[in-house]
């Protein structure tokens, strides 16, 4: 099964809001509310920032929010900060392979 | 504090085998599913396998079925990944991660152990 589709890169200026997408199919994103988002800084392990589409783990800034419409999930980061520059990966439960990741989006803070 | 420390990576020839370990601490290991996720250098994440807290249920990505085996020793708080018939495309940084709840979201990750498959 192919990876979930994410844009290769997005960018924004400090203080702005950005939204990145994660597109799957009716067998994964569209059929289950089990989409997660991970932030990964260079040389570091991924960090869970959103789970079950909209939920934030304790300690994660409320500047991060998630949503879903049909087969596409989205991550929005408001009040962009320099420290948000990182790679972001979505994942979804899928009935056929259990779990699938997106290809990742590189966020650049201008 | 939750800690996950992977070990066992290294250089192995195509067709060879390797056993990865992940030592866990800071939480009640047996109560949580655990997973392996790999990352090819410079590329994205790929789910490998997940095992239930008791060890009785396992899940594998299609490309790893029959070649990889996940297991755990709850008395030693350790997760394992036995990898056989290794291919060049298995070269990656292998992370172990703790499931937050259920099987599909992971709230703590180790720093990874690098597996290189090359002759």
């Amino acid at each position: 099964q192919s990876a979930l589709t994410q844009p290769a890169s997005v960018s924004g200026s400090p203080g702005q809001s950005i939204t990145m997408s994660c597109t799957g199919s009716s067998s994964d994103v569209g059929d289950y509310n089990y989409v997660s988002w991970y932030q990964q800084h260079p040389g570091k392990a991924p960090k869970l920032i959103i789970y079950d589409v909209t939920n934030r783990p304790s300690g994660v800034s409320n500047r991060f929010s998630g949503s879903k419409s049909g087969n596409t999930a989205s991550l929005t980061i408001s009040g962009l900060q320099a420290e948000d520059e990182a790679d972001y990966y979505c994942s979804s439960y899928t009935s056929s392979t259990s779990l699938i990741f997106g290809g990742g989006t590189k966020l650049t803070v201008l | 504090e939750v800690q996950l420390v992977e070990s066992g990576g290294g250089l192995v020839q195509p067709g060879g085998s390797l056993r990865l370990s992940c030592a866990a601490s800071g939480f009640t290991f047996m109560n949580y599913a655990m997973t392996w996720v790999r990352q090819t250098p410079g590329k994205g994440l790929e789910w490998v396998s997940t095992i239930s807290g008791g060890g009785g249920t396992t899940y594998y990505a299609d490309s790893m079925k029959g070649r990889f085996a996940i297991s755990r020793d709850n008395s030693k708080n350790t997760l394992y990944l036995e990898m056989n018939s290794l291919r060049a495309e298995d070269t990656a940084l292998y992370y172990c991660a703790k499931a937050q709840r259920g099987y599909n979201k992971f709230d703590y990750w180790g720093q990874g152990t690098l597996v290189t498959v090359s002759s």
Side-chain angles (χ1 to χ4, degrees), chain A residues 6-20:
Chain A
Q6 297 183 248
S9 63
V10 298
S11 62
S13 299
Q16 286 185 331
S17 293
I18 64 95
T19 297
M20 61 183 74

Side-chain angles (χ1 to χ4, degrees), chain A residues 15-98:
Chain A
Q16 286 185 331
S17 293
I18 64 95
T19 297
M20 61 183 74
S21 61
C22 169
T23 301
S25 71
S26 57
S27 298
D28 39 67
V29 174
D31 208 26
Y32 302 97
N33 288 324
Y34 293 135
V35 176
S36 298
W37 289 89
Y38 297 88
Q39 177 192 61
Q40 186 179 35
H41 287 107
K44 300 294 187 181
K47 174 188 176 183
L48 179 67
I49 56 172
I50 294 289
Y51 66 93
D52 295 350
V53 179
T54 61
N55 296 297
R56 275 189 316 275
S58 62
V60 172
S61 172
N62 59 9
R63 297 185 300 105
F64 294 90
S65 62
S67 62
K68 190 184 86 167
S69 177
N71 296 337
T72 299
S74 297
L75 173 70
T76 297
I77 308 174
S78 60
L80 208 56
Q81 299 179 1
E83 68 216 45
D84 299 331
E85 187 162 292
D87 294 326
Y88 291 83
Y89 294 92
C90 62
S91 73
S92 175
Y93 175 79
T94 162
S95 58
S96 59
T97 63
S98 291

Side-chain angles (χ1 to χ4, degrees), chain A residues 1 34 36 38 40 43-48 51-52 57 89 91-93 96-103, chain B residues 35 37 39 43-47 50 59-62 65 95 100-101 103-111:
Chain A
Q1 183 166 358
Y34 293 135
S36 298
Y38 297 88
Q40 186 179 35
K44 300 294 187 181
K47 174 188 176 183
L48 179 67
Y51 66 93
D52 295 350
Y89 294 92
S91 73
S92 175
Y93 175 79
S96 59
T97 63
S98 291
L99 195 75
I100 191 169
F101 281 95
Chain B
T35 201
V37 173
Q39 185 166 33
K43 294 191 179 178
L45 301 172
E46 181 180 21
W47 172 71
T50 296
Y59 306 91
Y60 296 93
D62 286 345
K65 282 179 186 174
Y95 291 103
Q100 184 207 50
R101 207 175 298 124
Y103 294 81
N104 53 71
K105 44 196 175 283
F106 313 113
D107 54 357
Y108 289 94
W109 297 61
Q111 286 306 303

Side-chain angles (χ1 to χ4, degrees), chain B residues 34-111:
Chain B
M34 296 291 294
T35 201
W36 290 98
V37 173
R38 70 185 185 183
Q39 185 166 33
T40 310
K43 294 191 179 178
L45 301 172
E46 181 180 21
W47 172 71
V48 173
S49 180
T50 296
I51 187 168
S52 61
T57 304
T58 58
Y59 306 91
Y60 296 93
D62 286 345
S63 60
M64 286 70 156
K65 282 179 186 174
R67 297 192 303 125
F68 291 10
I70 191 171
S71 62
R72 62 193 296 161
D73 185 337
N74 287 343
S75 68
K76 296 181 178 179
N77 289 353
T78 303
L79 174 73
Y80 302 101
L81 185 68
E82 187 80 36
M83 303 186 295
N84 300 307
S85 303
L86 284 163
R87 310 163 180 164
E89 53 264 36
D90 295 318
T91 294
L93 184 65
Y94 285 74
Y95 291 103
C96 74
K98 168 189 168 291
Q100 184 207 50
R101 207 175 298 124
Y103 294 81
N104 53 71
K105 44 196 175 283
F106 313 113
D107 54 357
Y108 289 94
W109 297 61
Q111 286 306 303

Side-chain angles (χ1 to χ4, degrees), chain B residues 14-37:
Chain B
S17 298
L18 213 54
R19 188 198 203 197
L20 307 183
S21 299
C22 172
S25 61
F27 64 102
T28 306
F29 185 66
M30 68 172 64
N31 288 351
Y32 294 92
M34 296 291 294
T35 201
W36 290 98
V37 173

